[in-house]
Amino acid sequence: MSKVTIFDHPLIQHKLSILRDENTGTKEFRELISEIAMLMCYEATRDLPLEDVQIKTPMAPMTAKKIAGRKLAFVPILRAGCGMLDAMLTMVPSAKVGHIGLYRDEETHKPVEYYNKLPGDIEERDVFVLDPMLATGGSAVDAIQIIKRSHPRSIKFLCIIAAPEGIDVLSKAHPDVDLFCAAKDECLNENCYILPGLGDAGDRIYGTDVVGEVTIDKRGSTVKLHSKIK
Ligand code: PRP
Ligand code: URA
């Protein structure tokens, strides 16, 4: 079975509470997704091997540490996974990026593939799949299946909120893939949305599919939009 790590770091938990709040607007939501992804990246890369290198500080020569030539690839699942990408690249600028386009069919809740572009040398790389939401697990399972066809060295899955159903489905389908999340929520509702969750991650990141009042502050920067998904 997959190793499942749930990050209980206070900074992550604090930011997650603001992220979930329906009064959090698009701009702040996007920033929080990025900040949480950056903190998760820090933890999820904890096992990268180090090697000794000889350097000279302005004061003295020394044996220092560098990451031992491991090549990484980040693969966001479109759209919402892209919200986590810049933060990951800030931490590991040398990583290559692939994209997998999947959307959930509204009736069946099954993922439908519409795009797939992975780095050509992915077989030399450790892959981190990015998606803020693991609900039924269908999108994650299919995305990882697509990536496995190109034989990467390893795959880890990073999400912000996971439903117990998704964790179960993913770890049974891909027991070799370790899963990292900031929260394991209670359940799915009848539309396969996570409860309590945060609504539709893609819509909240990109400000699509909204109802209700749009409020813009005096500087024109804070936009409050409310997700239709309850
Ligand atoms: C969301 C989310 C995941 C998927 C999770 O994407 O970002 O990819 O649903 O659900 P699952 O575990 O039941 O498959 P969505 O299909 O809404 O597409 P979007 O990112 O384009 O909004
Ligand atoms: N996708 C989302 O964006 N949110 C959910 O709760 C479930 C799937």
Side-chain angles (χ1 to χ4, degrees):
M1 291 292 267
S2 313
K3 190 171 123 206
V4 180
T5 305
I6 300 170
F7 295 123
D8 57 1
H9 194 287
L11 279 176
I12 296 182
Q13 293 306 312
H14 176 85
K15 289 175 190 294
L16 182 57
S17 301
I18 307 171
L19 186 77
R20 288 178 188 275
D21 192 323
E22 66 173 0
N23 292 315
T24 297
T26 309
K27 175 178 178 288
E28 196 181 1
F29 190 90
R30 230 181 344 242
E31 289 166 356
L32 285 161
I33 287 270
S34 233
E35 289 165 14
I36 294 169
M38 201 177 290
L39 293 165
M40 290 179 71
C41 177
Y42 172 80
E43 286 292 339
T45 51
R46 186 173 280 285
D47 62 352
L48 285 179
L50 293 170
E51 65 186 5
D52 288 348
V53 289
Q54 302 305 318
I55 61 163
K56 263 166 91 178
T57 77
M59 308 303 290
M62 70 169 284
T63 304
K65 303 278 182 201
K66 281 201 173 164
I67 291 170
R70 291 298 276 268
K71 295 181 177 175
L72 305 188
F74 299 143
V75 181
I77 302 178
L78 305 177
R79 292 174 299 168
C82 288
M84 300 169 73
L85 179 62
D86 282 352
M88 300 289 292
L89 287 172
T90 299
M91 299 301 280
V92 188
S94 61
K96 287 201 176 168
V97 178
H99 292 88
I100 296 200
L102 294 173
Y103 70 87
R104 285 200 325 179
D105 182 277
E106 280 182 14
E107 304 278 306
T108 65
H109 309 302
K110 299 272 182 246
V112 181
E113 183 183 347
Y114 62 89
Y115 188 74
N116 161 10
K117 183 84 180 168
L118 297 172
D121 61 353
I122 200 165
E123 69 283 351
E124 298 169 16
R125 293 185 180 265
D126 296 303
V127 171
F128 290 68
V129 182
L130 313 176
D131 194 330
M133 308 304 278
L134 178 67
T136 64
S139 305
V141 167
D142 282 14
I144 291 168
Q145 200 56 52
I146 293 164
I147 296 166
K148 278 187 172 174
R149 283 190 226 133
S150 306
H151 308 292
R153 286 173 56 113
S154 70
I155 304 179
K156 289 177 177 169
F157 185 82
L158 267 65
C159 67
I160 294 181
I161 299 183
E165 294 88 333
I167 295 177
D168 202 41
V169 164
L170 178 56
S171 58
K172 283 193 178 120
H174 297 294
D176 53 323
V177 173
D178 289 341
L179 164 63
F180 298 86
C181 60
K184 179 178 174 180
D185 270 13
E186 284 162 27
C187 58
L188 298 176
N189 73 4
E190 64 282 6
N191 294 319
C192 294
Y193 274 82
I194 300 174
L195 293 178
L198 50 70
D200 189 298
D203 283 342
R204 293 196 67 185
I205 292 171
Y206 296 109
T208 47
D209 196 27
V210 291
V211 290
E213 296 267 312
V214 175
T215 51
I216 301 177
D217 75 3
K218 287 188 196 112
R219 285 169 294 126
S221 60
T222 302
V223 183
K224 286 193 176 170
L225 302 167
H226 298 270
S227 174
K228 211 170 8 188
I229 309 300
K230 292 284 180 200

